[in-house]
Amino acid sequence: MSSVDKQLENLKAEITTELPRDISVSDVKYEGPELVVYTRDPKKFAKNGDLIRKLASKLRKRITVRPDPDVLSDPREAEPQIMDVIPEEAGVTDLDFHADTGEVVIEASKPGMVIGRHGSTLRQITQEVGWTPEVVRTPPIESSTVSNVRNFLKQEREDRRRILERTGRQIHRESLSNDEWVRITTLGCCREVGRASFILSTPDTRILIDCGDKPGSDDVPYLQVPEALGSGANSLDAVVLTHAHLDHSALIPLLFKYGYDGPIYTTEPTRDLMGLLTLDYLDVASKEGRAPPYESEMVREAIKHTIPLEFGDVTDIAPDVKLTFHNAGHILGSAVSHFHIGDGLYNVAFSGDIHYKDTRLFNGAVNDFPRVETLVLESTYGGRNDYQTDQADSEERLLEVIKETYNKGGKIVIPAFAVGRSQEIMLVLEEAMRSGKIPEMPVHLDGMIWEATAIHTTYPEYLRDDLRDRIFHDDENPFLAEQFNHIDGGEEERQDVADGDQCIIISTSGMVTGGPIMSWLRHIGPDPKSRLVFVGYQAQGTLGRRIQTGWDEIPVSDPNDVGRSSTLQLKMDVETVDGFSGHADREGLENFVKTMNPRPEKVLCVHGDERSVQDLSSALYHNYNMRTFAPKNLETFRFK
């Protein structure tokens, strides 16, 4: 018998001892980080709401209770009973029964009403029918991504359970080494922006944090080194994804092409956005005549292997590593990733990309932890003079630019990331038009912006408190304002918009590296009355940075002939409005560290150009008396 089987047998015996005599335990399994307890008495379990909490506290494990498949009632009988328990106002749109696990997935417009106070309605459902309810939100805006991901995971349930069981056994295996050390190896994004990737390793465990591309470059993370995939992709125990932007997520599916078969830990919205953005990444590569690095099948594999975690949940991901996600305030689902290593041996936090202050979309980044000895900190705006305009001032300036351009008879074109900046700008425009600060006009959303917005409304619990409350009420959902128009008719519709009345166009890609923004430059770029407005970071080497610094002749490809390109004379004005970035500026980064509880002993400044990381590293050292580093790629740091 393996050590894990012995462990499960002991746990079953301990759980049986703790439970009342009339509640049986038929099986105990690990599924990912959770301990799943199967019982023939699910209704009795549900009657005692404290039982699971007490067990979880005693065993120090996340516990899920499921009915033994033998005792399940017929779904045709269970469905009306469930509907009787759930308030009608919850807006149930679907019930999906899964006999293999005894779960019923309930999709509803208002999931909170299905859950009930402290889970009371969920317990009542189990008491009535024995099935274990799982609740998901019906998207207020229809999302093909959310629908496709849910349907795909439903089809792959059996395979996914095998993955989770295998992962669970890996997590709970015995430690093989008596050594104690912690190392971080940098595989990308050091003294540069993009291709974020790190290895966190101990004698027993190897974890990859992020695996992104580099905007405007073909450079990829150094995955071939021995610490990463050099000794085989399955030498990795886990992958942790901080957020879905491509400079952090683009090459996650590539790992499965190389043979990785383990878990990806991220938040639920990041999982969905990763699917959306990586599939688009492949589509753009194909349209531009470049060989994509992997097939779409690998994106599906990545989604199938994802284990979503919620903010604040402490989760075992290896025998000697616990992971906790905290809000990073950067984009939907973005997470500061805190690793607790060993039995109190060491603690490392990876900031990912952060925004320290509250924005219209998100609460500011969390920097309060039980313990942190080392912080790996993004430094995108870490330079000495990288102070962004206050957001309120930035919004005023944007509205001035729009009014000026409108009065001249021109159109406003805003290149923006589909995820994050676009929704932030949408909220500014919706409020400005509603309050009469700018004239009402159509706001055309091109690229993936509408789909990304639909995903935002599916997960309002990840948004800023007051915005979340507005989205819960359909009549106040700002993303449903009538000014917003989804461009889905391709070139013909774009030409009609270009020939039509004054309007605002928000389009991907945010750094002008391809996508529909190139079409808008072709259509509107030659118009001196119109204006191109940058609201987000333009990385070195991108066309956006070149235009921002004065280029007025730009290469554009022929939409009817991918291989053919010409030069376009850009006559529209170019404006940069700072303050909308999803990244903290220099002050925000310093404040994140200054107010961090506890303050770390060491800080690795990464994800910024050479000047930015060195400036920030020097300032943190001098101002807060901590050891700081501005590492290069392929450096390894030992911390214990």
Side-chain angles (χ1 to χ4, degrees), residues 319-601:
D320 56 348
V321 180
K322 288 180 167 62
L323 168 65
T324 312
F325 284 142
H326 301 275
N327 172 44
H330 173 63
I331 65 167
L332 184 71
S334 60
V336 177
S337 304
H338 178 275
F339 296 89
H340 177 81
I341 298 152
D343 191 11
L345 176 69
Y346 207 75
N347 294 263
V348 180
F350 286 79
S351 74
D353 290 349
I354 53 169
H355 197 289
Y356 183 56
K357 292 180 181 173
D358 291 353
T359 64
R360 282 179 178 267
L361 264 181
F362 304 113
N363 298 323
V366 168
N367 63 349
D368 196 0
F369 310 100
R371 268 181 57 191
V372 175
E373 282 78 42
T374 289
L375 169 67
V376 181
L377 177 66
E378 72 122 318
S379 316
T380 314
Y381 288 109
R384 191 172 286 111
N385 301 312
D386 286 345
Y387 292 95
Q388 292 174 26
T389 315
D390 177 76
Q391 182 154 342
D393 294 340
S394 301
E395 291 181 8
E396 285 304 313
R397 178 59 192 145
L398 177 64
L399 300 183
E400 279 172 28
V401 168
I402 290 170
K403 279 188 286 189
E404 288 167 13
T405 310
Y406 182 87
N407 292 335
K408 282 166 59 180
K411 297 178 175 67
I412 299 96
V413 179
I414 303 174
F417 297 122
V419 178
R421 287 328 87 208
S422 294
Q423 289 73 35
E424 192 86 33
I425 299 298
M426 287 170 73
L427 292 174
V428 174
L429 298 179
E430 185 270 337
E431 187 192 83
M433 289 185 195
R434 182 164 38 87
S435 60
K437 290 182 181 175
I438 59 173
E440 284 204 17
M441 66 186 99
V443 179
H444 300 288
L445 309 170
D446 202 356
M448 295 178 299
I449 294 170
W450 187 249
E451 180 60 26
T453 303
I455 297 172
H456 278 71
T457 64
T458 306
Y459 299 104
E461 60 272 28
Y462 286 85
L463 301 176
R464 183 172 168 163
D465 301 341
D466 56 346
L467 177 59
R468 179 189 62 213
D469 293 342
R470 284 185 72 190
I471 287 174
F472 282 141
H473 307 288
D474 286 351
D475 54 338
E476 288 187 42
N477 188 335
F479 296 117
L480 294 173
E482 61 183 15
Q483 291 91 340
F484 296 128
N485 171 53
H486 174 210
I487 296 277
D488 59 359
E491 256 339 275
E492 196 175 318
E493 189 177 357
R494 292 186 189 111
Q495 185 66 64
D496 288 345
V497 169
D499 293 341
D501 295 334
Q502 284 135 291
C503 61
I504 299 167
I505 296 143
I506 309 176
S507 173
T508 56
S509 82
M511 294 190 192
V512 199
T513 52
I517 188 64
M518 305 309 295
S519 178
W520 293 112
L521 292 181
R522 275 197 310 274
H523 290 307
I524 300 175
D527 176 15
K529 299 192 298 297
S530 293
R531 208 173 256 184
L532 181 69
V533 184
F534 288 109
V535 293
Y537 182 77
Q538 304 299 305
Q540 285 182 344
T542 61
L543 185 54
R545 173 69 75 94
R546 291 177 182 133
I547 294 171
Q548 199 177 39
T549 53
W551 275 35
D552 57 7
E553 289 188 354
I554 60 169
V556 291
S557 60
D558 186 328
N560 301 313
D561 184 353
V562 174
R564 192 172 159 210
S565 65
S566 57
T567 300
L568 172 75
Q569 190 76 36
L570 210 57
K571 292 183 181 174
M572 68 196 309
D573 281 346
V574 177
E575 183 94 26
T576 297
V577 180
D578 286 325
F580 288 108
S581 173
H583 295 268
D585 67 357
R586 170 61 178 268
E587 182 184 28
L589 291 167
E590 281 206 46
N591 284 339
F592 181 85
V593 175
K594 181 170 75 174
T595 62
M596 196 166 159
N597 180 37
R599 196 177 287 174
E601 298 162 8

Side-chain angles (χ1 to χ4, degrees), residues 18 33 58 125 130 187 201 207 238 279 336 472 520 530 572:
E18 291 292 319
K58 181 167 179 58
I125 289 169
L187 305 181
S201 52
I207 297 164
L279 286 173
V336 177
F472 282 141
W520 293 112
S530 293
M572 68 196 309

